[in-house]
Amino acid sequence: MNGNYRMRQYMKEHLPLYLFVSVLFVMGVVFGALMVGALSPGQKQEMARHVNSFIQIVNQGESFGGKTTFWDSFSLHLKWVGLIWVLGLSVIGLPFIFLLDFLKGVLVGFSVGYLVGQLSWKGMLFAFVSIAPQNLIVIPALVMCSVAACAFSLYVIKNRFMQKRGALYPTFMRYTSLSLCMAALLFAVALFEAYLSPVMIKWVAPMLAVTGG
């Protein structure tokens, strides 16, 4: 009960940061989706070849996912969390945290935008099973990491440069603990991507075909 109260207080106190980071991410998604329209026909054809190759591999019954995919996925998530954590330790890291959030939005927006643009409702279905499920957890986790990093960085500024001295170590431990909790959550996401997502992709792959236009 006390933990829930503290969490509500934390969310309320940092609501402006949550809103700012969320808006940055949404702007990234929109920008990424718009980038699809800027691709040349040759670039679209090249991407279509890659997607078609993947779909053919799936339809031929070749296995993918598994242990290698798990470690690749988890290491990628861990790099995002670790980089945000490191950037939060320094004052100059703030703009780079915001840049990472925007970039994550661009990646998601571009991926979904390309699939929908090339495959219409089939692309929406493919994005729904291959991109959406894990990102429903990954994105909030990275947003929480980013807000915690920004909050800690701002606390350091107040503590060191504005003569508002406070205990730095407890705040640092709370910040680090939250980052570790998000890393543990993303460990579970990587398991999903490696062992459940391939099954879902195999269900929808037979109805997919990409034309490069």
Side-chain angles (χ1 to χ4, degrees), residues 107-125:
L107 293 173
V108 173
F110 183 84
S111 301
V112 175
Y114 174 77
L115 289 172
V116 174
Q118 295 299 308
L119 294 169
S120 187
W121 69 269
K122 293 180 181 180
M124 182 73 74
L125 177 62

Side-chain angles (χ1 to χ4, degrees), residues 40 56 62 69 77 82 101 115 125 150 156 174 183 193 200:
S40 68
Q56 288 172 8
E62 295 187 33
T69 300
H77 295 322
D101 294 321
L115 289 172
L125 177 62
C150 293
V156 171
R174 286 195 295 270
E193 290 177 297
M200 298 169 65

